[in-house]
Amino acid sequence: MKLLFKLIGTILKLGVYACIFLTPVLGVWLASSLAAFSNRSTLLSVIAGVFLFPVLPLLWELWSSYKRRKLGKSSEQTLTWGDRLTIRTLVINFVAISGLLAWQPSTSFIALSTRGDWMLGAMQGQHIEVTRQSLFKIAGGLEWLYNALNKNPYEQYDDGSNKIKPEPQPNRKPIDLNPSKNAWAWDGQGLHPAIVNMQANVETSIDSVAKYIVSKESDPVLRVKALHDYVADRIAYDAESYFAGVYPPQDAETVFRTRKSVCAGYAQLLEALGKAAGVEIVYVVGDARTQTSDLSGQGHAWNGVKVNGQWYLIDPTWDSGYVSREKGFIKNYRTEYLMPPPEVIGITHFPKDPAWQLRANPINQGEFLRQPMMRPKFFADGLSLISPQRSQVDTKTDAVINLANPQKRWILASYRPKGSSGSQNCGQPVQDSQISCPLPNSGSYEVSLFTSTEAGGNFRYVGRLEFNKT
């Protein structure tokens, strides 16, 4: 029995030592992933890791021994040399990891989730993939820190009275991301006629507008489109409040009266219109990645709607136009975010409640961050991305994007240094399946894609990828 207890104690002790000595590895992984994400030298991070263990703990031990001898303390120490080295390693690396997390708490999770496998490069194989997924699973352990530091300001407008959740939909077929035609793209359809022809005397109340739409449209799908179109067309985005970070009341009645709001107001008004029209529409919150945001995105609010027994997602805010600091709100009605497939809207929208992903198999936040930031129009144009399959990748030469383009859309690419405002075209519009963008110098770049049916037509933004040129 004593031998058994001794064996268990030895195993536990070895386990503790292993965990302690793994802390330098975790520190190097975190530091190098942050370096890879920001296009800095990962080698320096590895060298720093060697310094943290064993160099710095050994130097600490030598200095401590020197001080003891100088002070004449020759008595035997309580802890062994190995125990002292272990504790010093733990303390030094705990301080180093804590410092990194305190320095860049949110970015740490993003870096580990998107570039935590940088050391695997382009290697393929079953064992490589298992290692890659294991690294990303470990990275998920920091999701709580990211969420704790990135509060969604639009959650406060959800009073919690609506407890509706979408039912599981196991029979939902996965969307074909390279279709020849998508009904959800609403190609060529403008504002619903009921919205175009609505008289001013109808717009006296939310109930009046809802009853008018119900009287003019009997088809349940088109009725939802009319409700969406009213909000997307009639409400102007409150760019001033958004950039100031101070929001006026966002309740449906206020938004209906002022005709101005941020995303919360758009979603609240659509929910209220749905209730008045007898359509099941709910308020959804989460993160969304925009054309101007980084990979993680920012707090946002949108809607879920139930049509013919099936749940869909709608974003009337993004379908109303866009904003810039220089010009404020620019009205630009469209239908990209009017009930697209879950796998499509789920590239840019990540709801707080996984049920509102409406996917048969919901993804986690790390998977969301790793998705290339393609918009619904990219898929509506029949395009599919072949490579890269990640939101951020490294390159030593040009930024190269391979895609399937069966409908021969004209594609224009532009690049800009990450964080800058000016962009330059990568060349002339092409109908090819490969886009090559010469990047002038080493650095981090955002490469944006635009499509059109004509070479000299109006090109619309369809997606973005990040390239780190080393």
Side-chain angles (χ1 to χ4, degrees):
M1 185 63 70
K2 289 183 178 180
L3 183 61
L4 178 62
F5 282 128
K6 187 175 182 180
L7 179 61
I8 293 174
T10 302
I11 293 174
L12 290 174
K13 189 174 183 179
L14 289 174
V16 170
Y17 281 156
C19 290
I20 289 173
F21 284 108
L22 275 175
T23 55
V25 177
L26 292 174
V28 170
W29 181 44
L30 174 57
S32 61
S33 297
L34 284 166
F37 179 73
S38 56
N39 199 25
R40 293 186 174 89
S41 173
T42 53
L43 178 60
L44 292 178
S45 301
V46 175
I47 293 174
V50 173
F51 183 72
L52 293 175
F53 178 78
V55 175
L56 198 55
L58 285 171
L59 289 175
W60 188 358
E61 173 64 21
L62 291 173
W63 174 255
S64 178
S65 298
Y66 168 75
K67 293 292 290 185
R68 285 179 60 82
R69 288 195 303 271
K70 191 173 181 180
L71 295 173
K73 296 181 178 179
S74 57
S75 59
E76 186 176 344
Q77 298 187 54
T78 305
L79 298 176
T80 65
W81 180 85
D83 290 336
R84 294 196 303 274
L85 190 65
T86 298
I87 293 173
R88 297 188 200 286
T89 299
L90 179 62
V91 170
I92 289 171
N93 285 275
F94 178 78
V95 171
I97 293 174
S98 298
L100 284 172
L101 292 176
W103 175 45
Q104 293 189 326
S106 296
T107 309
S108 293
F109 171 68
I110 301 170
L112 289 174
S113 295
T114 58
R115 301 305 309 277
D117 64 337
W118 67 268
M119 70 295 294
L120 301 178
M123 292 189 291
Q124 300 291 329
Q126 183 178 357
H127 297 301
I128 296 297
E129 188 59 28
V130 169
T131 303
R132 180 174 280 113
Q133 294 306 317
S134 298
L135 289 171
F136 289 143
K137 189 172 183 180
I138 296 171
L142 278 182
E143 186 175 337
W144 67 271
L145 179 61
Y146 172 83
N147 289 329
L149 294 170
N150 291 273
K151 295 297 183 182
N152 188 331
Y154 309 115
E155 284 187 50
Q156 61 180 302
Y157 303 111
D158 186 1
D159 60 11
S161 61
N162 198 331
K163 301 298 182 182
I164 297 174
K165 280 195 175 185
E167 301 87 354
Q169 299 168 356
N171 298 322
R172 180 193 286 275
K173 294 181 180 180
I175 185 67
D176 180 2
L177 296 182
N178 187 16
S180 59
K181 186 177 181 181
N182 285 309
W184 53 268
W186 307 95
D187 285 340
Q189 295 194 36
L191 285 170
H192 191 284
I195 308 306
V196 175
N197 300 318
M198 185 181 293
Q199 299 297 315
N201 60 358
V202 174
E203 299 186 67
T204 55
S205 69
I206 292 175
D207 284 343
S208 176
V209 170
K211 289 176 181 177
Y212 171 83
I213 290 174
V214 169
S215 69
K216 295 295 183 181
E217 182 56 73
S218 59
D219 182 272
V221 175
L222 293 179
R223 183 174 290 176
V224 170
K225 182 180 186 298
L227 294 168
H228 158 276
D229 288 1
Y230 180 83
V231 177
D233 180 66
R234 296 298 201 270
I235 307 304
Y237 194 86
D238 190 352
E240 183 179 351
S241 296
Y242 168 71
F243 288 119
V246 180
Y247 312 114
Q250 296 293 303
D251 60 280
E253 290 292 345
T254 299
V255 172
F256 181 80
R257 186 181 70 255
T258 63
R259 298 290 197 268
K260 197 174 185 179
S261 74
V262 292
C263 61
Y266 280 85
Q268 296 264 44
L269 179 56
L270 186 56
E271 181 183 36
L273 282 168
K275 184 177 181 180
V279 180
E280 204 166 4
I281 299 179
V282 299
Y283 184 86
V284 179
V285 295
D287 284 346
R289 303 189 296 176
T290 70
Q291 184 177 354
T292 56
S293 68
D294 61 17
L295 296 181
S296 64
Q298 52 192 279
H300 191 48
W302 59 99
N303 296 98
V305 59
K306 195 173 187 180
V307 185
N308 295 329
Q310 182 74 63
W311 283 100
Y312 299 89
L313 296 169
I314 303 178
D315 191 340
T317 310
W318 283 21
D319 277 346
S320 69
Y322 55 94
V323 298
S324 71
R325 287 188 179 274
E326 297 78 19
K327 298 180 181 180
F329 174 64
I330 296 90
K331 186 181 176 72
N332 183 27
Y333 165 82
R334 54 193 183 276
T335 51
E336 274 193 79
Y337 289 92
L338 175 56
M339 299 187 289
E343 294 82 359
V344 171
I345 193 171
I347 290 175
T348 51
H349 291 60
F350 186 76
K352 181 181 179 182
D353 185 343
W356 283 111
Q357 292 184 32
L358 303 183
R359 297 178 188 245
N361 299 299
I363 62 174
N364 58 42
Q365 197 153 18
E367 292 172 305
F368 171 70
L369 298 175
R370 289 191 291 277
Q371 296 177 113
M373 292 171 59
M374 300 295 110
R375 291 181 66 122
K377 182 168 173 52
F378 178 86
F379 304 108
D381 281 348
L383 299 167
S384 59
L385 190 64
I386 297 173
S387 67
Q389 285 290 320
R390 298 278 283 277
S391 54
Q392 186 192 86
V393 293
D394 292 332
T395 182
K396 293 184 181 299
T397 54
D398 298 342
V400 178
I401 301 171
N402 293 293
L403 41 80
N405 185 13
Q407 297 183 25
K408 295 298 180 182
R409 297 288 186 182
W410 287 94
I411 303 172
L412 177 66
S414 69
Y415 72 88
R416 66 178 182 182
K418 191 173 180 179
S420 70
S421 56
S423 63
Q424 296 185 33
N425 290 341
C426 299
Q428 296 299 314
V430 297
Q431 289 179 299
D432 299 335
S433 57
Q434 185 179 87
I435 310 298
S436 183
C437 191
L439 304 177
N441 304 300
S442 60
S444 297
Y445 293 89
E446 296 172 346
V447 177
S448 297
L449 299 178
F450 305 82
T451 64
S452 176
T453 55
E454 300 176 2
N458 181 32
F459 282 82
R460 288 177 57 184
Y461 172 76
V462 296
R464 191 187 88 205
L465 299 111
E466 291 190 5
F467 288 86
N468 286 339
K469 185 173 182 179
T470 56

